[in-house]
């Protein structure tokens, strides 16, 4: 962002989005970059204001928030993803069972509705695809 926008900002490391959001809401920091999964409720509740979403198009859950391309940053794209990890040596059948349960839950209509309300979706990568992505 700093390079593409030619802006100087100071990075303040936090131990997660929760403490960073507390400081943003409390006025201790001026801005933060965050995924909608942790910020959506605060945006919708009026506690923080979204300035933009990354990418070339607006997020359907936040139609009034411009996308990066609209504010002059056509190449600024950031995606957030979530993954599950297990200790080395976890039996393959147990891994497969966990992955299947997460897939079943993640694709349930009520869960998909919650994700959509927060501007996200269930990506649905297979275990092999996820391994390739993070590998």
């Amino acid at each position: 962002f700093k390079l593409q926008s030619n802006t100087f900002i100071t990075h303040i490391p936090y131990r997660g989005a929760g403490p960073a959001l507390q400081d943003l809401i409390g006025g201790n920091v001026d801005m933060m970059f965050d995924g909608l999964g942790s910020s959506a409720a605060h945006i919708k509740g009026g506690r923080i204001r979204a300035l933009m979403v990354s990418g070339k198009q607006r997020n359907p859950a936040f139609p009034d928030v411009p996308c990066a391309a609209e504010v002059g940053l056509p190449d600024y794209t950031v995606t957030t993803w979530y993954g599950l990890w297990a200790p080395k040596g976890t039996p393959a059948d147990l891994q497969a069972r966990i992955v299947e349960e997460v897939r079943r839950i993640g694709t349930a209509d009520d869960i998909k509705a919650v994700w959509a309300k927060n501007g996200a979706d269930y990506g649905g990568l297979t275990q092999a695809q996820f391994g390739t992505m993070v590998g």
Side-chain angles (χ1 to χ4, degrees), residues 69-90:
E70 291 176 297
V71 298
L73 299 168
D75 297 322
Y76 185 72
T77 300
V78 177
T79 57
T80 301
W81 54 267
Y82 300 93
L84 293 175
W85 309 91
K88 184 176 182 176
T90 300

Side-chain angles (χ1 to χ4, degrees), residues 15-70:
R15 290 180 171 242
L21 281 164
Q22 287 177 332
D23 272 0
L24 181 65
I25 292 166
N28 297 315
V29 294
D30 296 321
M31 63 173 285
M32 73 178 281
F33 294 84
D34 192 28
L36 288 172
S38 48
S39 293
H42 298 293
I43 295 166
K44 290 183 178 188
R47 291 177 291 281
I48 60 176
R49 184 172 144 230
L51 301 178
M52 75 171 197
V53 294
S54 78
K56 298 189 184 306
Q57 51 190 308
R58 292 181 182 215
N59 187 298
F62 297 90
D64 297 334
V65 178
C67 67
E70 291 176 297

Side-chain angles (χ1 to χ4, degrees), residues 4-19:
Q4 290 182 30
S5 66
N6 198 27
T7 304
F8 178 78
I9 53 177
T10 301
H11 174 247
I12 302 170
Y14 279 86
R15 290 180 171 242

Side-chain angles (χ1 to χ4, degrees), residues 91-101 127:
D93 61 329
L94 179 57
Q95 290 180 41
R97 188 169 134 219
I98 292 168
V99 168
E100 176 53 29
E101 284 299 306
Q127 194 171 3

Side-chain angles (χ1 to χ4, degrees), residues 102-120:
V102 169
R103 187 210 58 75
R104 183 184 62 75
I105 293 165
T107 58
D109 289 342
D110 55 340
I111 298 299
K112 288 191 321 188
V114 170
W115 281 84
K117 177 182 172 190
N118 291 319

